[in-house]
Amino acid sequence: MTTLDKGGSVRSLFIDYRKAFDLVDHNILITKLKSLSIPNCLLQWFGSYLSCRRQRVKVNGHVSSWKPLNGSMPQGSRLGPLSFIVMIDDLRAPCELHKYVDDTTLSELIPSSCFTSDMPQIFDSVLSWTTNNNMQINTSKTKEMIFGSLSTANLPLLSISAGSVERVSSFKLLGLTFDASLSWSVHITIIAAKASKRLYFLKQLKRAGVPAQQLLHFYVTVIRPVLEYCAPVWHYAITRSQAEQLESIQKRAIHIIYPFTRGMSYPNILFVSELTPLESRRDQLSRSFFQDITHPSSSLYHLLPPPRDTSVLSRLRTATRFARPVSRTKKYCSFINYALNHYQVPPRNS
């Protein structure tokens, strides 16, 4: 966000590995486990767990012959995700690199004074690692996106032997739909549509005579989470109309559960249902999330600025633990910046 706030751009590449868990090479995996100084007894146990596995296909009572497996991880096993994490642990790139199991994101920070990109060379290094580890990149699901003001006319598309990587204006990553303009309008539209579809099931349950309390429980556990998923990431940046769009879905759900609330004001509807506004819930979720980050044990603690010295805090009346950052533009203000400016509470003087 700092790069974007200063007029620069970010070129992001979202890599999808084809049949990630099915193409895990057992020999390469064991070699990597050895490099991590795993005890030999555990390596032998793990090798036994992977070896001599077979599979066959059953269709209408007819089964094929058994086929031995030279790779892949057992689906649904606890060791599957952990093994894949070991596989990609040594994946490196000369840029911002974020890995979450089989989702890998490369982000090149391009200053405003620069009009070229090193992403082709960066991508080549990743392709080389992919080949050496007997893995394959899914070209159809691998996308790139440009954030910021950098003109795409001077940036040729990235390509591999299977074809070019598509450049998109929006992309869904870990359940969040990112827009190149960082407006969150696409994401709000998607989650609103998804929650609206689930209202159909609420209506069906109502027609079946399900009691109001159980209908309310269905809304709270099945529909509302769709509207609040990863709320701290986008809550602070959505517009008033987008917030009202989400509140309208909660209002419709309450009308289905309690038909007599039609015509009531929204505060009265919330009072009857004993619910709180979605906006208030998102704000509380964001505050709680920020408080978790401020603990040094948090994996996101490194994103915060260095805490102020206690001697400085004691001399200032309204000093906060972390300095409040200043953003040139609101559009490129991250959650961290927003939280530091809005969720910090000055410590009480003892």
Side-chain angles (χ1 to χ4, degrees):
M1 286 300 184
T2 302
T3 300
L4 294 174
D5 191 55
K6 293 181 179 180
S9 302
V10 176
R11 187 178 189 181
S12 293
L13 178 64
F14 308 101
I15 297 177
D16 180 84
Y17 285 103
R18 175 179 171 272
K19 295 183 178 180
F21 285 73
D22 293 337
L23 295 180
V24 172
D25 188 299
H26 294 171
N27 293 327
I28 294 178
L29 178 59
I30 294 296
T31 300
K32 293 189 177 186
L33 287 171
K34 287 182 179 179
S35 67
L36 297 175
S37 301
I38 302 296
N40 190 57
C41 60
L42 290 181
L43 288 175
Q44 292 181 356
W45 171 83
F46 192 63
S48 175
Y49 171 72
L50 295 176
S51 62
C52 300
R53 287 191 172 274
R54 301 181 300 167
Q55 69 178 15
R56 64 179 180 178
V57 179
K58 181 178 181 180
V59 180
N60 296 329
H62 301 281
V63 295
S64 67
S65 58
W66 288 103
K67 180 180 180 180
L69 297 178
N70 298 321
S72 83
M73 295 301 301
Q75 298 296 314
S77 65
R78 290 180 178 270
L79 292 176
L82 291 176
S83 299
F84 192 82
I85 290 174
V86 172
M87 280 292 295
I88 66 171
D89 181 61
D90 61 349
L91 172 58
R92 300 288 186 270
C95 68
E96 294 285 336
L97 174 64
H98 298 91
K99 296 176 285 187
Y100 185 83
V101 192
D102 58 340
D103 288 306
T104 301
T105 303
L106 304 173
S107 296
E108 180 191 8
L109 308 182
I110 305 175
S112 58
S113 58
C114 184
F115 302 98
T116 59
S117 171
D118 294 328
M119 186 59 78
Q121 294 79 11
I122 296 173
F123 191 33
D124 285 342
S125 68
V126 174
L127 290 175
S128 176
W129 178 93
T130 301
T131 301
N132 294 336
N133 286 271
N134 289 343
M135 298 179 66
Q136 300 175 18
I137 289 181
N138 189 339
T139 310
S140 62
K141 292 185 178 181
T142 297
K143 312 291 182 182
E144 77 157 322
M145 189 187 307
I146 309 295
F147 299 92
S149 58
L150 185 65
S151 174
T152 58
N154 300 324
L155 297 178
L157 294 175
L158 302 171
S159 62
I160 58 178
S161 58
S164 298
V165 175
E166 182 183 6
R167 185 173 294 157
V168 296
S169 58
S170 63
F171 184 80
K172 187 176 183 179
L173 177 66
L174 301 178
L176 287 174
T177 303
F178 293 89
D179 187 282
S181 63
L182 296 179
S183 66
W184 294 109
S185 58
V186 177
H187 179 72
I188 297 300
T189 299
I190 290 175
I191 64 174
K194 184 177 180 180
S196 295
K197 290 180 180 179
R198 297 191 180 190
L199 290 178
Y200 168 79
F201 298 102
L202 188 64
K203 293 179 181 178
Q204 294 300 101
L205 293 172
K206 178 69 175 180
R207 292 170 182 169
V210 175
Q213 279 303 113
Q214 294 184 22
L215 293 175
L216 189 63
H217 181 72
F218 179 85
Y219 165 72
V220 169
T221 57
V222 177
I223 301 177
R224 190 171 67 181
V226 175
L227 303 172
E228 296 180 337
Y229 176 73
C230 285
V233 177
W234 49 266
H235 162 64
Y236 72 96
I238 64 175
T239 64
R240 172 51 51 189
S241 62
Q242 290 169 345
E244 292 175 352
Q245 182 181 0
L246 299 180
E247 294 289 351
S248 68
I249 296 175
Q250 175 162 272
K251 187 185 298 184
R252 288 166 56 193
I254 298 173
H255 286 334
I256 295 171
I257 300 170
Y258 303 107
F260 63 86
T261 60
R262 296 182 183 278
M264 289 185 178
S265 64
Y266 191 46
N268 289 337
I269 292 174
L270 294 174
F271 177 78
V272 169
S273 60
E274 297 183 344
L275 295 174
T276 55
L278 295 177
E279 184 173 14
S280 299
R281 286 181 51 82
R282 292 195 304 270
D283 187 70
Q284 184 56 44
L285 288 170
S286 300
R287 289 178 182 273
S288 178
F289 183 64
F290 174 69
Q291 292 304 318
D292 291 340
I293 292 177
T294 59
H295 294 290
S297 58
S298 171
S299 59
L300 300 180
Y301 182 79
H302 70 280
L303 297 177
L304 299 174
R308 283 170 165 159
D309 189 270
T310 53
S311 60
V312 175
L313 292 176
S314 62
R315 294 198 303 267
L316 301 176
R317 179 178 299 178
T318 59
T320 53
R321 180 182 174 190
F322 302 96
R324 290 190 171 98
V326 178
S327 298
R328 187 176 63 88
T329 59
K330 182 179 180 181
K331 181 178 181 179
Y332 296 134
C333 174
S334 69
F335 165 75
I336 297 295
N337 285 12
Y338 181 87
L340 289 170
N341 282 303
H342 294 82
Y343 296 151
Q344 282 198 91
V345 178
R348 295 181 179 179
N349 294 327
S350 57

